[in-house]
Amino acid sequence: MSTALTPPADAIPPVRHPDAPAPGELLGAHYEHCFGCGGGQPHGLHLEARAGEGVTITAEFTVTSDHQGAPGLAHGGILATALDETLGSLNWLLRVIAVTGRLETDFVRPVPVGTVLHLQAEVTAVHGRKIYCTATGRIGGPEGPVAVRADALFIEVKVDHFIDNGRPEEIQAAMADPDQVRRARAFEVNP
């Protein structure tokens, strides 16, 4: 792990927000068109994340033929995306808006098409706007062998980050959604 992913000595333990989803609760897509969790992406990951105990998340993602790199195997970038999406979901438990600042991924073993990747992630420390977290992806079940793992640094941002940098059409459509919860959730996880 790089020094940028090592929390400083004065970092604090993460604290689950009192309004965070309950342990076991399915988080659902934060945005219908998100490649990681949205149902509106035909070739997306359709990753399903659940709140865990403390500041942890579990998630599952099934590798399809649309996610291949080498014949019959998941593309490494897709696996990194699954880790990033799972890690980003942790921010729902802190009730902060944050984006990926750094993601360091280790590919331990190949992941065949048709495999369910079982992901686990946790926030390890917080320091100001910086959120330090780690994740693993296992095959063959939640206790199976590790196939991928990642350490990440997320940076807390204001909603203006998305409004100022996103394509105006999508921003306006999300902001115009009459469902107040969906409107807020569209901006909850890293882009």
Side-chain angles (χ1 to χ4, degrees), residues 64-125:
T64 71
S65 59
D66 293 324
H67 305 132
Q68 292 180 86
L73 296 174
H75 188 287
I78 293 292
L79 297 175
T81 301
L83 288 162
D84 185 50
E85 184 69 26
T86 303
L87 289 158
S89 295
L90 289 164
N91 297 311
W92 293 6
L93 303 179
L94 299 173
R95 302 293 286 192
V96 299
I97 301 171
V99 297
T100 310
R102 184 175 183 96
L103 178 69
E104 189 171 296
T105 307
D106 295 315
F107 301 95
V108 180
R109 62 177 28 94
V111 178
V113 168
T115 298
V116 175
L117 190 63
H118 299 268
L119 298 135
Q120 299 170 314
E122 70 175 311
V123 176
T124 57

Side-chain angles (χ1 to χ4, degrees), residues 133-151:
C133 42
T134 188
T136 57
R138 297 174 182 271
I139 58 176
E143 303 303 320
V146 173
V148 292
R149 63 178 161 247
D151 292 301

